[in-house]
Amino acid sequence: MNKIILLTTLFTVFSANSQETKKFELVRNELKSNALFLILGQPEFSYERILNNESGIGVSVNFALEKDFETTFSLTPYYRFYFGKKPAAGLFVEGFAMLNTLDIDQETYTYYDYPTNTYTTITDKGASYTDFALGFGVGFKLLSKRGLVLEANGGIGRNLLNPEKNDYFGHTFVGRGGITVGYRF
């Protein structure tokens, strides 16, 4: 009986297939540039740190090269939750905060005053101020096997610090979005 148990144990040990578990190394860093904004003259660069297969945190910096844009600078930290099959890719939702600087040009308004039968001209000297917004967005990220990233996203937020200026200049809400190209390493 002991020989049968010994032979069965030896047979099981030598014939057992050991399963090697491959530990998947998650590539955690992404550098990206918003191609759409770059073409328009307002480059935006982003860094994202992948936390796990379903989430990541990042920061975007946007600055204007030309005076055509009222938003001259923005710093946007964000958190993303992914729903795709690949690690940190596919459909995502994000929550973001945005520190933005607005530079409003000088504007001149002319209106006609009916009772006095005169034209009146008002010159608004413009303003430069900084505000803080909170918002949310959605997007989709494609990831190649070699680490190339292509992303499209859009979102909306609300400026919170200067309600009277935002109402007057029409900057109560801020947008976030673009077509982004980058590399995951």
Side-chain angles (χ1 to χ4, degrees), residues 126-137:
S128 180
Y129 63 98
T130 301
D131 213 324
F132 179 77
L134 292 175
F136 66 94

Side-chain angles (χ1 to χ4, degrees), residues 37-100:
F37 281 14
L38 189 61
I39 291 170
L40 296 174
Q42 190 168 4
E44 180 181 58
F45 300 101
S46 301
Y47 169 78
E48 184 173 350
R49 176 74 176 171
I50 307 302
L51 299 175
N52 55 40
N53 287 344
E54 297 177 337
S55 65
I57 57 172
V59 64
S60 295
V61 176
N62 181 326
F63 51 91
L65 298 176
E66 302 171 6
K67 290 245 180 212
D68 296 341
F69 300 98
E70 291 181 345
T71 303
T72 57
F73 175 79
S74 69
L75 178 69
T76 310
Y78 57 87
Y79 170 80
R80 289 183 174 169
F81 187 82
Y82 293 93
F83 297 98
K85 293 181 181 180
K86 288 186 178 181
L91 181 68
F92 64 83
V93 294
E94 76 173 10
F96 68 88
M98 181 186 290
L99 182 68
N100 56 73

Side-chain angles (χ1 to χ4, degrees), residues 2-29:
N2 285 341
K3 288 182 183 182
I4 295 174
I5 293 174
L6 180 64
L7 286 174
T8 307
T9 305
L10 286 174
F11 180 73
T12 306
V13 169
F14 287 119
S15 68
N17 237 349
S18 68
Q19 294 181 351
E20 288 186 29
T21 56
K22 289 184 179 180
K23 187 174 180 181
F24 180 70
E25 183 73 27
L26 183 62
V27 183
R28 297 191 178 269
N29 301 300

Side-chain angles (χ1 to χ4, degrees), residues 88-143:
L91 181 68
F92 64 83
V93 294
E94 76 173 10
F96 68 88
M98 181 186 290
L99 182 68
N100 56 73
T101 301
L102 299 158
D103 190 12
I104 310 302
D105 291 335
Q106 178 174 328
E107 295 183 18
T108 303
Y109 305 98
T110 303
Y111 70 92
Y112 181 73
D113 187 16
Y114 286 102
T116 62
N117 198 22
T118 59
Y119 286 96
T120 304
T121 302
I122 298 173
T123 301
D124 185 355
K125 295 181 182 178
S128 180
Y129 63 98
T130 301
D131 213 324
F132 179 77
L134 292 175
F136 66 94
V138 296
F140 194 82
K141 182 186 289 186
L142 298 172
L143 178 66

